[in-house]
Amino acid sequence: MVTPELARSLTEISVEIQRQVGVLIDRRGHVARVVVGDARSVFLPDLTAYRRGRDRLCGLRWVHTHLNGEPLSDDDLTDLALLRFDLVAAVEAQPDGLPGQVFQAHLLPRNPDDRPWELLPPVSVHRLGDDFPQLISALEDEFQRTRREGREGGGGGDRAILVHVSSDARAVAEAGVAELRELARSAGLSVVDVVIQRRDLHPKYVMGRGRLQETVIKAMQLGAELLIFDLNLTPSQVNALATYTDLKVLDRTQVILDIFAQHAETREGRIQVELAQLRYLLPRLGAKQTASALSRLTGGIGGRGPGETKLEIDRRRAQDRIAQLEREVKKLGERRRLRRARRTRNALPVISIVGYTNAGKSTLLNQLTRSEVTAENALFATLNPVSRRLRFPREREVIVTDTVGFIRKLPEELMAAFRTTLEELDEADLLLHVVDASSPEVEQHIDTVRSVLKELHVSDKPTIMVLNKVDQCDGDTVAALGARYQATPVCALQLDTLPPLLARIEAVLWPAQSDAAAQAIARNEADHVSPSEDAPA
Ligand SMILES: Nc1nc2c(ncn2[C@@H]2O[C@H](COP(=O)(O)OP(=O)(O)OP(=O)(O)O)[C@@H](O)[C@H]2O)c(=O)[nH]1
Ligand SMILES: [Mg+2]
């Protein structure tokens, strides 16, 4: 405990040199460090050696003097939170060198009022109790208990706090967070809290210091080990944030890369993902990268870094590996081209299904062609295109190809790595642009997909927009979207909703030969006389 003798030595020296003086005391009561500051503040030494895991107190008390008898300052409370001291105490150094009041605070486990710390009432040095060890062990127990409860309630997976910082309108910010939440879920994480701060980006820490500090405390209270930012962070921001918070810091791109890494099953998919990861990593590999900064970067979420190496990777090797992978991607691209050429010789028309991720592309492919490719409620369930045959009446056949989903702000690295895969779209005779009509963001999704198609130079292909998941929407929404985009409503889960779409496909692929009925339906669709009536009852 802080004895009156110790307090007095601190205050005497402090008054004599007119600086704050403090000691860090471990749980056995030994002084671990002595620190001397200036008249108004102290700069604490690097205490990483004392960190004991992200969700525990560090085992040190920070006792220091204040020359003007002021209570604990914001800096003191920031230190308490970020360094996770057992306790922080400020001892008033009176002008005569004697200790006066003592101000103390400790962190709090999760509580109904969301209070991060408890400020104890100031007491005179002589009245400091000796119940400190009990207090700390009760606190640690409490922290552990709330964490355990949180874990049981929160599903498996690493625990993450999502952070959105921008000056965008509230609705835009919330849509961004909703998508990030889906991404996190698809990556197997459990989201324990969301922080939205509306302001311009802080150049170094992205969010304001105060909010960052609160977030760190929340992370501790909830046992979260990850901070995920809804934007793409610069390498120096990641470093600054990770160092300041001692949490693993990821951005949106990394989460997407991680989902891709988990879903890559084919050899080509794995190569493309590793390539994308390395391209993301390369500019982040400084000349003198510390091992811990590197593990934060390459670790991915559950340690799923790029395929080859983890810690020992350096710029040079990353570059070599990128070159090697690029060669392989190219080789596989050639093979794809050959396969395509063969198909073209067979002269079967090709329909490519494109669309925002999770729109229902694979489900539609399955339903159209009675196949069973993976379709699930997760973002980026499909990575590499799958082709199936679809038979139309009169012995007519087409190839239907599923593709990787798109997403807004698609990471450059991924786009580049998947370019050969997406080249498949070149040969398509018809694009089915599948849209999740039940998404509140449907229009934004459509715009995103259209701009990606444009980037791939396929936006002038014949395209049918398919309004999917109409079973989840009201008739008015479907009618409005249908009219606006000349789209055909379907429910990919229900076979009997597909005939209008099939008729429209026939009308595009075989305009001269398609029968009158089909043409009538196709016209009907395009004009949108009464699309809601086409929706399943
Ligand atoms: N209610 C409803 N759900 C649907 C419909 N079509 C698809 N789904 C569901 O939506 C989810 C996503 O379907 P997928 O077919 O995997 O979507 P995708 O576009 O291939 O997604 P990615 O490959 O991840 O980009 C699955 O849970 C489907 O069961 C529909 O018409 N109605
Ligand atoms: Mg899919």
Side-chain angles (χ1 to χ4, degrees):
M1 204 46 236
V2 185
T3 58
E5 293 72 33
L6 173 63
R8 181 163 175 175
S9 342
L10 290 177
T11 52
E12 276 177 354
I13 301 169
S14 197
V15 168
E16 189 172 331
I17 61 176
Q18 283 299 300
R19 287 163 181 268
Q20 295 191 358
V21 175
V23 284
L24 291 156
I25 306 171
D26 68 20
R27 289 202 185 155
R28 281 171 304 173
H30 298 155
V31 171
R33 300 283 181 96
V34 178
V35 191
V36 178
D38 57 25
R40 300 207 48 83
S41 62
V42 248
F43 187 75
L44 286 165
D46 177 18
L47 295 172
T48 37
Y50 290 93
R51 285 178 172 174
R52 308 187 325 145
R54 298 186 174 87
D55 45 9
R56 293 185 61 194
L57 298 172
C58 84
L60 292 175
R61 272 165 288 157
W62 167 226
V63 180
H64 66 297
T65 57
H66 276 181
L67 284 167
N68 302 315
E70 70 271 25
L72 291 168
S73 66
D74 283 351
D75 282 346
D76 291 333
L77 294 168
T78 305
D79 289 338
L80 172 69
L82 290 180
L83 300 166
R84 294 191 286 275
F85 286 130
D86 287 358
L87 180 121
V88 61
V91 184
E92 176 191 4
Q94 295 172 334
D96 60 4
L98 291 177
Q101 302 258 71
V102 183
F103 300 87
Q104 306 180 86
H106 60 75
L107 292 170
L108 283 176
R110 191 162 26 144
N111 57 73
D113 310 328
D114 259 347
R115 281 191 310 137
W117 45 61
E118 178 83 26
L119 291 167
L120 304 178
V123 290
S124 117
V125 172
H126 303 284
R127 303 197 40 209
L128 282 172
D130 55 3
D131 50 358
F132 176 73
Q134 292 91 306
L135 170 73
I136 290 305
S137 85
L139 260 183
E140 290 264 39
D141 286 353
E142 190 60 23
F143 273 116
Q144 246 168 31
R145 208 169 51 75
T146 51
R147 258 187 334 263
R148 228 179 4 250
E149 281 166 7
R151 205 159 276 149
E152 279 154 13
D158 289 350
R159 298 158 69 77
I161 293 181
L162 307 184
V163 182
H164 176 103
V165 186
S166 75
S167 44
D168 295 341
R170 178 118 237 144
V172 175
E174 272 164 12
V177 167
E179 183 164 275
L180 188 63
R181 188 188 278 280
E182 282 302 294
L183 286 167
R185 188 181 62 78
S186 301
L189 300 171
S190 100
V191 174
V192 293
D193 204 357
V194 175
V195 177
I196 296 184
Q197 188 177 31
R198 294 183 49 215
R199 55 160 283 161
D200 295 331
L201 299 190
H202 183 289
K204 187 166 178 195
Y205 293 113
V206 184
M207 60 202 308
R209 282 269 206 149
R211 272 319 267 288
L212 183 57
Q213 178 192 326
E214 272 173 38
T215 307
V216 172
I217 295 166
K218 265 197 182 150
M220 176 174 175
Q221 290 175 328
L222 300 169
E225 48 240 5
L226 282 165
L227 283 187
I228 305 184
F229 284 80
D230 184 22
L231 55 103
N232 292 331
L233 299 169
T234 65
S236 57
Q237 284 168 336
V238 174
N239 265 325
L241 282 164
T243 309
Y244 188 75
T245 64
D246 198 31
L247 294 163
K248 205 175 218 178
V249 174
L250 298 180
D251 64 11
R252 191 170 173 276
T253 297
Q254 269 173 301
V255 178
I256 295 176
L257 285 172
D258 204 81
I259 299 173
F260 272 71
Q262 290 180 50
H263 289 178
E265 276 169 4
T266 61
R267 173 147 167 270
E268 185 174 17
R270 278 199 295 272
I271 291 172
Q272 287 167 324
V273 171
E274 186 180 346
L275 188 54
Q277 285 178 316
L278 285 170
R279 283 205 179 115
Y280 174 85
L281 205 57
L282 192 61
R284 289 164 172 78
L285 293 174
K288 44 175 181 11
Q289 193 72 256
T290 66
S292 76
L294 231 136
S295 77
R296 279 197 293 262
L297 277 171
T298 53
I301 291 166
R304 288 175 296 267
E308 195 201 24
T309 42
K310 295 249 170 336
L311 280 182
E312 65 277 24
I313 197 160
D314 60 23
R315 272 190 85 79
R316 191 50 215 283
R317 297 206 22 211
Q319 269 158 342
D320 290 351
R321 180 84 181 141
I322 286 175
Q324 183 195 344
L325 291 170
E326 275 170 347
R327 279 194 300 274
E328 290 194 42
V329 164
K330 211 169 137 210
K331 224 165 39 201
L332 290 166
E334 306 279 299
R335 230 177 279 168
R336 268 183 188 287
R337 260 187 289 281
L338 279 178
R339 226 174 6 205
R340 280 208 300 270
R342 228 177 7 245
R343 250 190 246 146
T344 317
R345 264 205 309 281
N346 292 344
L348 291 186
V350 175
I351 300 176
S352 286
I353 304 181
V354 296
Y356 210 77
T357 183
N358 213 38
K361 301 177 294 297
S362 302
T363 309
L364 182 64
L365 175 97
N366 285 339
Q367 195 68 268
L368 285 172
T369 64
R370 318 269 151 88
S371 323
E372 279 171 24
V373 310
T374 308
E376 58 178 312
N377 189 19
L379 307 193
F380 303 112
T382 307
L383 284 199
N384 276 105
V386 183
S387 298
R388 294 283 183 273
R389 281 172 186 240
L390 168 60
R391 243 174 267 280
F392 278 89
R394 291 208 288 269
E395 301 298 304
R396 290 190 299 222
E397 260 191 339
V398 297
I399 305 268
V400 186
T401 315
D402 191 10
T403 55
V404 56
F406 301 154
I407 194 163
R408 88 199 153 93
K409 299 193 215 142
L410 191 72
E412 274 299 315
E413 297 84 358
L414 272 181
M415 189 74 180
F418 278 78
R419 206 164 276 279
T420 58
T421 305
L422 291 167
E423 269 172 19
E424 293 263 323
L425 294 177
D426 276 346
E427 68 163 333
D429 298 285
L430 171 63
L431 302 182
L432 294 187
H433 176 173
V434 178
V435 170
D436 175 356
S438 71
S439 161
E441 294 294 300
V442 57
E443 280 156 23
Q444 218 236 325
H445 292 177
I446 292 173
D447 291 345
T448 299
V449 171
R450 285 182 165 173
S451 66
V452 177
L453 292 176
K454 201 169 207 170
E455 239 177 277
L456 296 168
H457 308 293
V458 293
S459 53
D460 50 358
K461 298 229 176 232
T463 303
I464 296 177
M465 191 180 288
V466 182
L467 283 188
N468 189 31
K469 306 197 189 179
V470 294
D471 55 309
Q472 305 274 53
C473 323
D474 63 81
D476 290 347
T477 310
V478 177
L481 287 171
R484 173 153 176 216
Y485 295 103
Q486 274 108 59
T488 302
V490 300
C491 166
L493 298 172
Q494 289 166 251
L495 193 58
D496 60 358
T497 67
L498 300 186
L501 176 63
L502 289 168
R504 209 175 153 191
I505 293 173
E506 276 193 273
V508 173
L509 291 181
W510 302 284
Q513 307 146 37
S514 62
D515 44 76
Q519 280 190 12
I521 297 175
R523 255 201 320 277
N524 202 20
E525 286 303 324
D527 296 339
H528 262 282
V529 179
S530 52
S532 53
E533 283 163 25
D534 293 334

